[in-house]
Amino acid sequence: MSTDDIYEMDPVNETDELEGDAFSGMIEEEVVYPEEFLPTYHSIEEGAIITKALLAEFNGKPDSLFFNDGVRRIDFILVYEDEDKKDFDKRHVFQRRKRRREYFEASLMKMGMELEATKSVIDDKLLFVKVHMPWEVQCTYAEVLHIKLPIQPNDLSSRPSPWRFFTCITKHFYPNKDLIAKQSEFFTAPFEKDRLDYFYVKDKDLFFTAAMRSRMAFYILSRAPYEIRGNIKKFGITKLLDGGVYKAAYPLHDCRFNVKSKEENCPNERFLLYEEWAHPKSFYKMQPLNLIRKYYGEKIGIYFAWLGFYTMMLAVAAFVGLSCFIYGYRTQETSTWSKEVCDPNIGGNIVMCPQCDRECNYWKLNSTCDSSKKLCIFDNFGTLVFAVFMSIWVTLFLEFWKRYQAELEYTWDTVEFLEQEEPPRPEYEAKCVHERKNPITGVKELVPHTACERCVRVSIGIGTVLFWILLILASIVAIIVYRLAAFFAFSAQLRAQDLKELEPLKEYVTPQMATSVTASLISFVVIMVLNLLYERVAIWITDFELPRTKTDYENSLTMKMFLFQFVNYYSSCFYIAFFKGKAVGHPGNPVYLLGKYRNEECDPGGCLIELTTQLSIIMGGKAIWNNIQEILLPWVKNLILRHCTRGASDAVIPRWEQDYRLQGLPQLGLFYEYLEMVIQFGFVTLFVASFPLAPILALVNNVFEIRVDAWKITTQFRRIVPEKAQDIGAWQPILQSVAILAVATNAMIIAFTSDMIPRLVYYWSFSVYPYGDYSNHTMQGYINSSLSVFNVDDFSNYSKPLVTRYKITTCRYRDFRYGPGHPRQYEYTIYYWHVIAAKMAFIIVVEHIVYFTKFILSHVIPDVPYAVKEQIKREKYLTQVILHETNLKLVSKRQKPVDDGPVNFGQEMELDFSQ
């Protein structure tokens, strides 16, 4: 092969013009190219006859996973439409696609792959190309991909489970062992063809699992060339799919999901997964993670392992949260301050100042009786205990997950899955035109852009993300303006009307509640719309940055998407929790937003109940919307596709055509599943002090989420191309960041959003001498002390109510200020400064205690269990022994037999101790 060749991948909108000749002649020797990753590559000489795939008739076996000879296993399926049966007007386009397809298939066969084509039994235009990897090709690419395979059975005895004494109970919560047997444990090592004798090979046909074979096949398909023009080479199945050359490319399911295969020796793993995992009847069972990993690969397996572990840990948080909710519900009637609000002689005699200008009227405090009782459910000492508990819980969750993840890494052979083992993305390889020296290997290689170009691309990406975040903030400001205008309108209407038509709901329909609910619904709609728009932008930015590996690509996209989603989902909650009602002034001198809209005030009990409403609407609405999307959309699409491609009722449909009628999993399908769960994790931890029922809602949602995701990928989607993954990637540091932030947000919610600190200050300081009139510490009189007095004659002409229902000289408002006639009229009282000091002290003390506890726990709990460390050391030792024995054999082979003649001691002996 010439070293002056340049690789290129077609854009999605293909054109005949070829660009890039300016890059020719730039490449020197020792440059890393796709052929470095394709050992079996052999270029097709110009003018050579192109070998075509053999056309074979369907043999009538619907469950067959083999070629017609019944020997060669199908590792991948390619689907295309016969170009010769297309419209004549576009024949030149289809003929070009045909040339590319035939060249691509010839390249595959040149690299050792075996192909067999079969016509569709339903659509005459469709053809299915079956791809098989012979044993030699499998061994070659297993070595290229560093696939770890068994060398000998695991001889270390496993520690007995602490739950073994409860087997009679726990066995009902595990998959049926008669159907899904426990897999044998082996010590493994990266595969090498030269050391094949040392690997545990019982059956060549079963040595590489179907998932491994599919992964190797897709690796070749992603790099096989389909067109060569001069020094421009175009390659990759991905672009052939985008360009319409192929309709689909996928590995085969091994059987139907609800019927066992009739083929002999078929593992029926899809059927087992459906029966013991994806079926709704199995919702209470533990997941068969080893079988999931074996069938779908490590990346899918690690997602379901994390989701299952997160759900189990949520059960503990849900129990504590539900206990706190029950405690608050049972004590709401005994709350002294709530009784004072509802008391006709106290709350009924307190007239509150209008909460908007001119149109709003005076109102009685006891009109908020029901909302104050509901506030007691969430704003109590149990909430404080629960907030501290959740701060500890999230630390335990992350630490125990690290341990569990370490066990999976060892069991699934991803302990040493390093970056250099992951090949570059084909899209990255296609754009490599600039030469540089690899800082690690010292070998010359090509990169897609210079350091300056990379800096420009990253800067553009950062600027675009910041622009969209500012757009979100602008939408939040718009919603705040709506809240202010809506509250003005609701106050004018609801206070003036008797609402007889809403008699059953009259007590709940207050201006604050109406504004809160409508604003939350609008916020939810805005969030979902901005999500749809930003997803496209984030993908475009990441494509523009051109990360090297797929892991780099997903990590870059993860950070962009989460940063956007964080602002999008949580900004309205942050506004209610930390900004609403904090800068409102007093009735004689209110604060205005944009010089026009008067800032919102909280209820006399605070904004906590409104934050609870916001969280419940967003969490509930998001869960319902996502489940509708995940269940209905794939099912409806498959239903329509089956209806459109319906053939004769008695037609026998082969396995590959049954799979073709399913949906293809989107490229970033798993990414969105992670994103959904991490956003939920934020709701559960960041604002849990205001909504202790969040963990139980998340738990119920996740129990369904696991089975819905399992049902979806098992029954509605084609088999996913297996991928290697060591951990959950960039989501791990994101979860840790959210956990750290959650301590601060919950402490500040309790300090600034709830009324707990002012009540404690009153109870311990201002209810007794020298500030109070009571002899013992009590909550009596708290409502009166928390409401300041305002003289109605001090209203400005712009703020004074137009209509007055009460003949009064003063009204009350929520603040700690001196009353009219005092030398420091309408300035803050000593009570206010005591409360501020108590709030700051509470935040500092709670944060330091919780952070210190988190620090101790994170260091006490080791990330890798001791038993796993022993097994890893044992495996490394065995691998070194095998390498040593192999090198000794190589040395003995290279040594020549000793003759009777003189020995030449000057001759140097070559020893190969490379791994």
Side-chain angles (χ1 to χ4, degrees):
M1 167 177 177
S2 172
T3 55
D4 291 332
D5 297 332
I6 290 181
Y7 281 77
E8 184 177 284
M9 297 182 74
D10 279 349
V12 176
N13 299 321
E14 300 179 56
T15 58
D16 280 325
E17 289 83 357
L18 293 174
E19 299 177 356
D21 289 302
F23 299 126
S24 58
M26 293 175 57
I27 306 164
E28 299 176 3
E29 296 180 356
E30 295 185 322
V31 176
V32 178
Y33 261 107
E35 283 77 351
E36 296 287 336
F37 304 104
L38 293 173
T40 60
Y41 177 81
H42 299 285
S43 60
I44 300 175
E45 296 180 2
E46 188 174 354
I49 299 175
I50 294 178
T51 307
K52 297 182 180 180
L54 178 66
L55 185 63
E57 293 294 328
F58 172 49
N59 58 10
K61 296 180 179 180
D63 295 326
S64 176
L65 302 175
F66 295 87
F67 281 23
N68 277 9
D69 57 15
V71 176
R72 292 173 292 174
R73 180 181 292 273
I74 300 172
D75 296 317
F76 226 86
I77 291 291
L78 306 176
V79 187
Y80 69 93
E81 288 185 334
D82 191 349
E83 296 85 358
D84 295 330
K85 296 183 180 180
K86 292 288 186 178
D87 297 335
F88 183 79
D89 296 338
K90 299 181 179 179
R91 196 178 182 98
H92 67 285
V93 176
F94 297 123
Q95 288 303 314
R96 188 181 64 167
R97 290 182 180 175
K98 181 179 180 180
R99 288 194 301 270
R100 290 182 167 182
R101 177 182 56 76
E102 289 180 345
Y103 191 95
F104 180 73
E105 293 173 4
S107 299
L108 293 177
M109 289 186 281
K110 194 78 174 176
M111 285 188 283
M113 308 283 273
E114 297 178 2
L115 309 181
E116 183 179 87
T118 301
K119 289 185 178 180
S120 168
V121 298
I122 296 176
D123 188 349
D124 294 337
K125 295 180 181 178
L126 281 181
L127 284 97
F128 295 84
V129 179
K130 294 169 277 188
V131 180
H132 168 74
M133 296 181 66
W135 171 253
E136 284 298 320
V137 179
Q138 292 177 44
C139 292
T140 300
Y141 286 96
E143 186 171 352
V144 170
L145 295 177
H146 301 272
I147 295 178
K148 299 183 76 172
L149 291 159
I151 50 178
Q152 79 170 45
N154 190 336
D155 56 1
L156 291 179
S157 58
S158 59
R159 295 186 177 181
S161 171
W163 306 103
R164 63 187 182 280
F165 301 109
F166 305 97
T167 305
C168 58
I169 299 175
T170 58
K171 67 180 182 180
H172 301 291
F173 296 94
Y174 284 87
N176 190 337
K177 292 184 179 180
D178 296 332
L179 296 177
I180 302 178
K182 184 179 179 181
Q183 296 181 11
S184 302
E185 295 185 4
F186 292 90
F187 292 119
T188 60
F191 183 78
E192 295 184 35
K193 288 174 65 176
D194 296 338
R195 299 182 171 97
L196 181 61
D197 295 340
Y198 289 92
F199 286 88
Y200 195 77
V201 184
K202 294 180 66 176
D203 186 345
K204 286 186 176 182
D205 293 332
L206 302 177
F207 182 59
F208 297 105
T209 65
M212 293 177 185
R213 296 162 68 112
S214 299
R215 182 179 162 218
M216 290 186 283
F218 185 74
Y219 177 87
I220 298 173
L221 291 170
S222 299
R223 289 157 177 79
Y226 60 81
E227 186 174 67
I228 297 180
R229 293 190 183 183
N231 66 327
I232 304 294
K233 289 181 172 59
K234 303 180 181 181
F235 60 92
I237 185 63
T238 304
K239 291 304 177 182
L240 291 178
L241 290 169
D242 292 339
V245 176
Y246 286 102
K247 303 284 288 183
Y250 50 90
L252 282 180
H253 281 298
D254 62 355
C255 64
R256 284 184 284 176
F257 70 87
N258 55 353
V259 180
K260 280 190 174 183
S261 173
K262 297 179 182 178
E263 289 291 309
E264 188 178 358
N265 297 326
C266 179
N268 291 299
E269 290 175 347
R270 186 190 186 195
F271 173 79
L272 296 178
L273 285 172
Y274 177 73
E275 286 294 315
E276 296 296 314
W277 178 49
H279 198 285
K281 69 179 182 182
S282 303
F283 77 95
Y284 62 92
K285 291 185 178 181
M286 301 293 287
Q287 301 182 88
L289 292 176
N290 288 329
L291 184 59
I292 297 170
R293 173 251 181 173
K294 180 182 177 184
Y295 193 75
Y296 289 114
E298 288 79 8
K299 194 167 189 177
I300 296 291
I302 201 74
Y303 164 72
F304 280 104
W306 176 82
L307 182 55
F309 186 82
Y310 171 47
T311 304
M312 288 183 63
M313 291 291 290
L314 273 177
V316 180
F319 175 78
V320 179
L322 183 61
S323 301
C324 291
F325 176 80
I326 294 173
Y327 168 79
Y329 183 81
R330 292 176 64 88
T331 58
Q332 63 175 329
E333 298 293 340
T334 61
S335 172
T336 303
W337 67 270
S338 179
K339 287 180 178 180
E340 289 186 350
V341 171
C342 298
D343 191 337
N345 297 322
I346 301 177
N349 291 329
I350 296 178
V351 179
M352 302 296 294
C353 298
Q355 292 183 313
C356 66
D357 295 328
R358 300 177 67 83
E359 296 294 336
C360 292
N361 209 328
Y362 300 100
W363 52 286
K364 292 290 185 70
L365 179 62
N366 65 350
S367 64
T368 62
C369 176
D370 291 293
S371 62
S372 67
K373 287 182 179 180
K374 290 174 177 56
L375 182 62
C376 292
I377 300 175
F378 302 102
D379 193 359
N380 54 66
F381 293 110
T383 303
L384 171 60
V385 174
F386 185 58
V388 175
F389 167 80
M390 286 300 295
S391 299
I392 305 301
W393 173 88
V394 73
T395 303
L396 293 174
F397 163 65
L398 293 174
E399 292 302 318
F400 284 131
W401 164 248
K402 288 179 186 177
R403 288 173 60 85
Y404 186 47
Q405 184 174 256
E407 294 179 16
L408 293 177
E409 286 177 14
Y410 172 74
T411 306
W412 293 354
D413 299 322
T414 60
V415 174
E416 297 177 354
F417 178 62
L418 304 177
E419 183 180 355
Q420 55 262 35
E421 294 183 14
E422 187 176 7
R425 297 164 59 237
E427 295 85 352
Y428 177 91
E429 294 174 347
K431 302 294 182 181
C432 289
V433 293
H434 299 284
E435 183 182 320
R436 76 158 190 176
K437 188 175 183 180
N438 190 300
I440 299 174
T441 63
V443 178
K444 291 181 181 179
E445 65 177 4
L446 290 184
V447 293
H449 36 65
T450 62
C452 182
E453 290 174 349
R454 177 174 174 77
C455 182
V456 171
R457 287 173 179 262
V458 172
S459 300
I460 293 174
I462 293 173
T464 308
V465 172
L466 291 177
F467 168 78
W468 276 85
I469 289 176
L470 292 175
L471 185 63
I472 299 172
L473 296 178
S475 70
I476 297 301
V477 172
I479 291 174
I480 293 172
V481 171
Y482 163 79
R483 297 174 70 98
L484 302 179
F487 180 77
F488 178 87
F490 283 129
S491 297
Q493 296 296 321
L494 297 181
R495 300 292 184 194
Q497 296 178 8
D498 199 17
L499 299 179
K500 290 183 179 179
E501 66 277 9
L502 297 176
E503 190 61 36
L505 304 175
K506 181 179 178 179
E507 59 184 6
Y508 302 104
V509 182
T510 62
Q512 291 91 346
M513 184 58 67
T515 303
S516 175
V517 171
T518 55
S520 297
L521 292 173
I522 293 173
S523 177
F524 173 72
V525 172
V526 170
I527 285 171
M528 301 310 294
V529 171
L530 287 176
N531 277 349
L532 294 175
L533 296 175
Y534 182 75
E535 283 176 8
R536 300 174 182 269
V537 175
I539 293 172
W540 176 82
I541 295 172
T542 311
D543 289 339
F544 180 72
E545 291 176 356
L546 205 62
R548 182 177 183 272
T549 64
K550 189 167 184 180
T551 299
D552 294 338
Y553 181 91
E554 291 180 352
N555 289 346
S556 177
L557 182 62
T558 296
M559 297 305 296
K560 293 182 183 66
M561 285 295 293
F562 180 76
L563 184 61
F564 174 84
Q565 299 276 17
F566 183 91
V567 178
N568 198 14
Y569 276 107
Y570 303 141
S571 53
S572 59
C573 296
F574 273 99
Y575 164 73
I576 295 172
F578 306 123
F579 296 99
K580 183 183 176 184
K582 302 301 184 292
V584 295
H586 60 84
N589 185 26
V591 177
Y592 292 90
L593 178 66
L594 305 178
K596 181 179 180 182
Y597 300 99
R598 181 171 168 176
N599 277 1
E600 288 183 280
E601 297 181 29
C602 295
D603 278 336
C607 289
L608 196 68
I609 192 68
E610 189 172 344
L611 179 59
T612 303
T613 304
Q614 179 84 359
L615 283 170
S616 58
I617 288 178
I618 293 180
M619 275 192 72
K622 185 174 181 294
I624 293 171
W625 175 255
N626 286 336
N627 284 322
I628 289 175
Q629 279 189 314
E630 292 183 9
I631 296 175
L632 287 184
L633 287 184
W635 182 77
V636 170
K637 287 181 179 179
N638 286 334
L639 190 66
I640 294 173
L641 184 62
R642 284 195 295 268
H643 178 76
C644 296
T645 60
R646 184 169 53 190
S649 58
D650 58 345
V652 178
I653 304 177
R655 171 82 267 135
W656 48 84
E657 195 153 358
Q658 294 176 39
D659 285 4
Y660 176 69
R661 297 166 76 182
L662 300 175
Q663 293 294 306
L665 186 71
Q667 184 181 5
L668 298 174
L670 199 60
F671 167 82
Y672 294 116
E673 301 294 343
Y674 271 119
L675 182 62
E676 177 188 351
M677 288 296 102
V678 172
I679 293 296
Q680 181 205 86
F681 179 81
F683 281 122
V684 168
T685 54
L686 291 175
F687 306 101
V688 75
S690 66
F691 192 35
L693 289 180
I696 197 169
L697 292 182
L699 174 64
V700 173
N701 176 77
N702 288 6
V703 169
F704 285 100
E705 181 75 21
I706 291 174
R707 305 304 161 178
V708 166
D709 288 347
W711 172 83
K712 184 174 61 176
I713 68 170
T714 305
T715 67
Q716 302 300 307
F717 286 102
R718 300 171 190 146
R719 190 169 182 176
I720 302 162
V721 178
E723 293 183 51
K724 201 83 169 174
Q726 186 177 20
D727 48 35
I728 60 175
W731 299 111
Q732 184 80 22
I734 287 175
L735 292 174
Q736 292 172 339
S737 302
V738 171
I740 294 172
L741 181 61
V743 178
T745 56
N746 284 295
M748 287 191 289
I749 285 173
I750 293 173
F752 293 109
T753 310
S754 79
D755 244 18
M756 186 177 298
I757 302 300
R759 291 200 297 267
L760 288 173
V761 171
Y762 176 82
Y763 180 83
W764 290 107
S765 298
F766 284 82
S767 64
V768 295
Y769 181 82
Y771 301 107
D773 300 327
Y774 297 95
S775 57
N776 297 319
H777 297 288
T778 180
M779 284 301 297
Q780 293 181 8
Y782 168 72
I783 290 298
N784 185 62
S785 69
S786 65
L787 299 175
S788 299
V789 181
F790 180 76
N791 191 334
V792 297
D793 293 333
D794 293 335
F795 275 118
S796 65
N797 292 331
Y798 184 77
S799 301
K800 192 172 184 178
L802 296 176
V803 180
T804 303
R805 285 190 287 176
Y806 306 101
K807 292 182 179 181
I808 54 175
T809 57
T810 61
C811 62
R812 310 295 291 271
Y813 62 99
R814 187 175 185 267
D815 211 338
F816 304 106
R817 295 177 184 266
Y818 292 110
H822 193 278
R824 300 175 62 187
Q825 177 176 290
Y826 302 136
E827 293 183 13
Y828 289 119
T829 65
I830 189 67
Y831 191 175
Y832 172 82
W833 298 111
H834 273 71
V835 169
I836 291 296
K839 288 181 176 180
M840 299 307 297
F842 172 82
I843 292 174
I844 293 171
V845 171
V846 169
E847 281 188 352
H848 279 69
I849 291 175
V850 174
Y851 281 136
F852 179 74
T853 306
K854 290 165 69 72
F855 175 80
I856 295 297
L857 288 174
S858 62
H859 282 76
V860 167
I861 302 173
D863 291 345
V864 182
Y866 180 74
V868 174
K869 288 182 179 179
E870 285 184 336
Q871 291 177 326
I872 292 174
K873 291 177 181 178
R874 171 69 174 165
E875 187 172 281
K876 287 184 176 179
Y877 168 75
L878 289 174
T879 304
Q880 291 299 323
V881 169
I882 290 173
L883 291 176
H884 180 66
E885 292 179 356
T886 305
N887 288 329
L888 287 178
K889 286 188 177 182
L890 290 175
V891 170
S892 62
K893 287 182 181 178
R894 292 180 181 180
Q895 286 179 333
K896 294 182 179 180
V898 180
D899 297 330
D900 293 333
V903 179
N904 184 4
F905 291 98
Q907 186 176 358
E908 209 172 318
M909 181 185 297
E910 276 192 3
L911 297 179
D912 183 9
F913 290 99
S914 62
Q915 295 186 11

